[in-house]
């Protein structure tokens, strides 16, 4: 059973995990910098990379100690090499390469989106055919998945990601960062039908998304009505959340119907959203679709999902050259790109 150390530093989480086979979790360490960035109202790339540089060696060593292994006992060392913040990716990728060189181990470059994409299946040795929605702070993607490595991009956001829509509207409302969870919590006591915010591209006939109109609409609303009264916040949050959830759920179910898949899987930080879960649970049950979410501790960025994706690559006989570069920008082709 191969044992893999994975390192994740694509955004503001410094994480390391050790996985044996597909389900033997030996270590799962995360240091979130969210509090550090919250004072800036969003992730500041240089602050993120400086913090990765300071914390990653400690997090990696803690993971190794928890796993009770020496680096020499590992079979491969994996790192997220993109998409993400360039200077942040460089820290994790460089450390992983250094460890792989030092211990003469296989290096595996893992795509962050593939990590999220496979996370609902964590522990399984095969990935079943399904329709996937990856919704994070940086990405909103709809994919048809035939199996591991066989991904077809059906649609994506043309501007803001779903998580970004949550975070940016939360900022406009004067809530903190990251805003998704704050909107989710406040919305629990709100009326989603009180305010009518736009459902971008819901009738577009394709599987692309657009959330920048929602942000603009909230900004115009606030310019007109002034800062929201505390008593109006729950209704505002519930109405904003409904606009985002409505589009995501509608397009995901339509894609599953058109592709003839019987399973749908949602991953990325936004898959933690309680309204999205509730809405999809109800609709999936009604049409007889199996619905999968990642385990709770794999929702937001972590290294275990990277180790799990790496385990599939290793099982398929893939390895990455030690010269592999980082790829900060999302490229659909890179998702399906197979390490040699
Ligand atoms: O997957 P993730 O940790 O990082 C990226 O790869 O981007 O996702 C972070 C995003 C943030 O935008 C955050 O606001 C959002 O996930 N998020 C949520 C919730 N929890 C996290 N959005 C809506 N509702 C939530 N409960
Ligand atoms: Zn992510």
């Amino acid at each position: 059973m191969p044992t893999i150390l994975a390192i994740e530093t694509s955004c503001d989480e410094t994480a390391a995990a050790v996985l044996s086979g597909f389900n033997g979790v030996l270590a799962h360490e995360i240091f979130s910098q969210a509090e550090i960035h919250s004072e800036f109202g969003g992730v500041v790339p240089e602050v993120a990379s400086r913090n990765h540089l300071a914390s990653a060696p400690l997090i990696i060593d803690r993971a190794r100690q928890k796993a009770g292994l020496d680096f020499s006992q590992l079979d491969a060392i994996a790192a997220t090499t993109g998409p993400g913040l360039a200077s942040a990716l460089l820290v994790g990728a460089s450390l992983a390469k250094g460890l792989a060189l030092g211990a003469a181990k296989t290096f595996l470059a893992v795509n962050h989106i593939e990590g999220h994409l496979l996370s609902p299946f964590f522990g399984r040795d095969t990935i079943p055919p399904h329709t996937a929605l990856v919704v994070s702070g940086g990405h909103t993607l709809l994919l048809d998945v035939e199996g591991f490595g066989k991904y077809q991009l059906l649609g994506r956001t043309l501007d803001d990601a779903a998580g970004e829509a949550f975070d940016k509207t939360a900022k406009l409302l004067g809530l903190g960062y990251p805003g998704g969870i704050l909107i989710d919590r406040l919305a629990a006591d709100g009326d989603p039908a009180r305010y009518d915010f736009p459902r971008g591209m819901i009738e577009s006939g394709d599987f692309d998304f657009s959330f920048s109109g929602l942000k603009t609409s909230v900004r115009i609303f606030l310019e007109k009505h002034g800062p929201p009264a505390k008593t109006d916040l729950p209704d505002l949050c519930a109405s904003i959340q409904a606009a985002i959830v409505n589009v995501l759920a509608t397009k995901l179910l339509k894609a599953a119907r058109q592709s003839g898949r019987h399973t749908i899987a949602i991953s990325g930080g936004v898959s933690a959203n309680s309204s999205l879960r509730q809405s999809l649970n109800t609709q999936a049950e009604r049409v007889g679709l199996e619905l999968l979410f990642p385990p709770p501790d794999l929702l937001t960025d972590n290294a275990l999902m990277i180790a799990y994706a790496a385990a599939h690559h290793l099982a398929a006989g893939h390895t990455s050259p030690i010269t592999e570069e980082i790829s900060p920008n999302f490229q659909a082709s890179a998702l399906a790109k197979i390490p040699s």
Side-chain angles (χ1 to χ4, degrees):
M1 202 89 81
T3 302
I4 299 172
L5 164 72
I7 301 169
E8 156 67 43
T9 62
S10 66
C11 191
D12 60 345
E13 263 88 29
T14 313
V18 183
L19 180 68
S20 168
F22 291 105
N23 60 11
V25 183
L26 303 183
H28 178 25
E29 297 295 313
I30 305 176
F31 166 64
S32 173
Q33 302 176 14
E35 212 169 290
I36 298 168
H37 296 278
S38 68
E39 94 184 58
F40 304 102
V43 179
V44 182
E46 188 179 327
V47 174
S49 38
R50 283 172 182 270
N51 277 282
H52 286 312
L53 189 62
S55 339
L58 304 175
I59 294 289
I60 293 167
D61 201 46
R62 205 158 75 197
R64 185 194 60 75
Q65 282 180 37
K66 285 219 169 138
L69 296 171
D70 284 329
F71 292 119
S72 64
Q73 292 170 281
L74 297 167
D75 294 283
I77 296 173
T80 304
T81 51
L85 303 169
S87 58
L89 290 165
L90 279 173
V91 177
S94 304
L95 280 164
K97 286 183 173 200
L99 288 170
L101 273 180
K105 300 294 171 186
T106 298
F107 172 65
L108 277 164
V110 176
N111 184 292
H112 183 81
I113 305 291
E114 188 177 38
H116 280 302
L117 179 69
L118 303 182
S119 64
F121 304 93
F122 184 81
R124 302 194 197 183
D125 58 5
T126 50
I127 304 297
H130 66 280
T131 307
L133 175 68
V134 182
V135 267
S136 69
H139 304 278
T140 301
L141 305 168
L142 245 180
L143 301 114
D144 181 62
V145 178
E146 214 181 299
F148 170 69
K150 294 181 180 153
Y151 318 126
Q152 191 200 341
L153 186 66
L154 300 176
R156 57 186 291 197
T157 181
L158 302 182
D159 40 59
D160 293 345
E164 221 175 337
F166 274 108
D167 295 341
K168 286 182 175 171
T169 51
K171 196 170 176 182
L172 289 171
L173 293 176
L175 309 175
Y177 168 85
I181 187 148
L182 303 170
I183 290 192
D184 192 350
R185 279 191 200 137
L186 281 163
D189 301 318
D191 172 10
R194 175 154 170 214
Y195 303 104
D196 188 21
F197 289 117
R199 270 76 171 147
M201 294 183 75
I202 199 161
E203 308 274 9
S204 65
D206 57 22
F207 294 116
D208 287 333
F209 300 89
S210 168
F211 292 106
S212 67
L214 170 65
K215 180 185 62 192
T216 307
S217 168
V218 172
R219 200 185 57 233
I220 291 170
F221 176 93
L222 294 171
E223 278 166 9
K224 202 164 141 197
H225 297 92
K230 221 173 164 189
T231 45
D232 289 334
L233 268 181
D235 289 347
L236 269 169
C237 288
S239 303
I240 290 168
Q241 179 172 267
I244 300 171
V245 166
N246 198 196
V247 187
L248 292 176
T250 303
K251 294 217 169 186
L252 171 59
L253 289 162
K254 192 171 166 201
R257 198 164 55 240
Q258 274 193 17
S259 314
R261 300 296 186 203
H262 303 296
T263 300
I264 52 178
I266 301 94
S267 58
V270 180
S271 67
N273 185 265
S274 48
S275 168
L276 181 64
R277 286 177 169 241
Q278 203 178 26
S279 167
L280 285 172
N281 265 319
T282 313
Q283 298 188 59
E285 196 179 308
R286 203 175 52 223
V287 294
L289 284 171
E290 182 191 21
L291 171 65
L292 291 168
F293 291 98
D297 56 343
L298 298 194
L299 288 171
T300 49
D301 287 350
N302 65 87
L304 199 51
M305 68 180 190
I306 303 303
Y308 178 61
H312 278 281
H313 279 292
L314 206 61
H318 307 154
T319 62
S320 302
I322 202 75
T323 50
E324 181 84 23
E325 291 191 46
I326 55 161
S327 316
N329 297 321
F330 171 76
Q331 291 162 321
S333 57
L335 242 191
K337 196 180 110 191
I338 305 296
S340 54

